[in-house]
Amino acid sequence: MLTPDTSFTLVLGGGGMKGLAHVGVLQALVERGLRPSHIVGSSIGALVGTAWASGVGVAKLRDLAVTVRRRDIFRVAHADMALKRMSSPALFRREPLEELIESVLGDVRFSQLDPPVVVNTVDVNSGMQVFWGLKGLDDVPVGDAVFASCALPGYLPPRDIRGRYYVDGAVVDNMPVGVARVFGSELVVAVDISASSALREDTQEEGFARVFARATEIAMNALLEQRLKRWTTPPLFYVHPRVEHIGLFEFDRLRELVDEGYRATSAALARPDLWPAPGASGVYPRRSVIVRVQRERCIGCGACLVHAPPGMFVLDPQGKAVVTSPEQVWDPADGAFIRHCPTYAITARPEERRSSRSDA
């Protein structure tokens, strides 16, 4: 269980405006006297994390989060697009986000942040992932690193830092839990606000920017799933605010985002039985589920054999998929194969539901 004495690293993933859920996450932690020893932030997670570590209180962060407007971040770069056309560096101008970051962070340096914060970026020319705030990478203005971490390619221009150009670290790792190993923490608490598992309708009708944003979400989540599957130590507790139904750049549900971050974190902290015990490894929380295939829906395409762990599914003599071990214990990295079934024939239900039916 997470206690005030636990040394833990808080990882705040990226996700556009959905990242304002991180404000609610911090509120839930602060109310319980739970203070991370380090913070790792990607994109808006970097902005929220550095703002809090620089001394901006949770109450002020909430006020800022629910009052931010679209024009405070996104203003179309009409001049660049008209003059440079396809050579325009980005769809939106850099000045609004620069001004917002300046108003929140000022000229704060990494050495002034308490707790220490690491900001996730990528060198757009070399592909190198660079974590500003680590030793030897902590002598640049925090605002520059945060802008770079928020610079989703195509939307905002890359940031020049020391003569190199950096963009959003989500390009290679939207929730960079691996860097937490540098700090030797007992536990990693990772907050994921991605959304690729949510079914959307009519994305193709909403323009190229929405299509690109959706494709970016899918790619980021696929990379995260692979990283979580390989995770061992320190133990990682995964918090997933239910914001997947909200788009990356929606501004009319900001209070809902903050409140959901608070709800999800409070609910997790209220269940000490779900947290890893001392000396544990892997990803938590874990749950017992029953996996089933609806035969009437199965078309025998074999997608489950491609995406599930080897041997979990086989095809019977009629060409229908069969689960070899229906009773499973899953962590948050498991079960992604369900959404890859083209006929939605695979389901997973909590094991206790089956028990309650049999007792009835």
Side-chain angles (χ1 to χ4, degrees), residues 299-329:
I299 58 176
C301 66
C304 52
L305 277 68
V306 174
H307 294 285
M312 184 174 178
F313 290 92
V314 296
L315 298 181
D316 67 12
Q318 289 73 45
K320 300 287 188 176
V322 177
V323 189
T324 59
S325 300
E327 297 182 5
Q328 303 272 330
V329 177

Side-chain angles (χ1 to χ4, degrees), residues 2-8 32-35:
L2 190 61
T3 72
D5 296 325
T6 305
S7 171
F8 73 97
R32 292 159 177 81
L34 302 171
R35 183 179 178 81

Side-chain angles (χ1 to χ4, degrees), residues 17 22 25 27 68 70 75 79 94 127 156 186 191 198 217 225 248-249 256 270 285 294 303 309 315 341 351:
M17 300 313 299
H22 294 319
V25 171
Q27 180 184 354
V68 68
R70 183 179 300 274
R75 294 181 210 164
R94 60 179 173 80
L156 291 162
E186 299 172 46
V191 185
E217 284 184 312
E225 288 171 356
L248 284 173
F249 306 124
E256 177 185 345
Q294 300 179 51
L315 298 181
C341 176
E351 189 173 13

Side-chain angles (χ1 to χ4, degrees), residues 239-298:
V239 179
H240 190 194
R242 308 311 306 194
V243 296
E244 61 267 36
H245 58 292
I246 301 176
L248 284 173
F249 306 124
E250 288 188 37
F251 282 78
D252 56 352
R253 305 173 81 167
L254 303 181
R255 190 176 299 276
E256 177 185 345
L257 289 167
V258 177
D259 290 345
E260 174 55 18
Y262 179 82
R263 183 211 63 80
T265 308
S266 298
L269 294 171
R271 292 288 308 274
D273 56 303
L274 298 179
W275 290 72
S281 62
V283 180
Y284 293 80
R286 295 176 177 173
R287 56 183 179 141
S288 296
V289 299
I290 301 295
V291 181
R292 293 189 174 92
V293 176
Q294 300 179 51
R295 288 183 63 82
E296 66 276 12
R297 288 190 174 189
C298 179

Side-chain angles (χ1 to χ4, degrees), residues 133-177:
L134 291 180
K135 183 178 180 181
L137 296 168
D138 54 0
D139 57 347
V140 302
V142 173
D144 283 347
V146 170
F147 185 99
S149 192
C150 292
L152 184 63
Y155 284 84
L156 291 162
R159 190 65 163 189
D160 179 356
I161 303 177
R162 295 177 172 176
R164 305 293 296 179
Y165 289 84
Y166 297 89
V167 296
D168 189 348
V171 170
V172 298
D173 193 354
N174 188 46
M175 199 170 73
V177 293

Side-chain angles (χ1 to χ4, degrees), residues 62-216:
R62 279 191 66 99
D63 290 341
L64 291 171
V66 300
T67 57
V68 68
R69 299 161 296 179
R70 183 179 300 274
R71 65 176 177 270
D72 293 331
I73 302 175
F74 299 116
R75 294 181 210 164
V76 176
H78 291 292
D80 277 345
M81 296 181 69
L83 297 174
K84 299 179 181 180
R85 298 183 180 273
M86 295 301 291
S87 295
S88 176
L91 179 62
F92 298 107
R93 296 169 52 194
R94 60 179 173 80
E95 290 85 1
L97 180 58
E98 283 181 333
E99 293 167 6
L100 176 64
I101 292 173
E102 170 68 22
S103 69
V104 175
L105 295 176
D107 59 356
V108 68
R109 313 294 288 196
F110 278 100
S111 60
Q112 298 172 288
L113 299 180
D114 182 22
V117 181
V118 170
V119 175
N120 179 34
T121 68
V122 169
D123 182 327
V124 73
N125 289 298
S126 71
M128 180 187 298
Q129 189 173 17
V130 176
F131 295 108
W132 300 104
L134 291 180
K135 183 178 180 181
L137 296 168
D138 54 0
D139 57 347
V140 302
V142 173
D144 283 347
V146 170
F147 185 99
S149 192
C150 292
L152 184 63
Y155 284 84
L156 291 162
R159 190 65 163 189
D160 179 356
I161 303 177
R162 295 177 172 176
R164 305 293 296 179
Y165 289 84
Y166 297 89
V167 296
D168 189 348
V171 170
V172 298
D173 193 354
N174 188 46
M175 199 170 73
V177 293
V179 72
R181 293 194 178 103
V182 174
F183 309 126
S185 301
E186 299 172 46
L187 176 71
V188 176
V189 177
V191 185
D192 178 22
I193 50 173
S194 62
S196 75
S197 60
L199 180 64
R200 297 282 179 81
E201 293 185 0
D202 301 325
T203 299
Q204 74 285 351
E205 304 293 338
E206 298 177 350
F208 81 91
R210 289 292 183 92
V211 172
F212 179 77
R214 179 60 178 153
T216 300

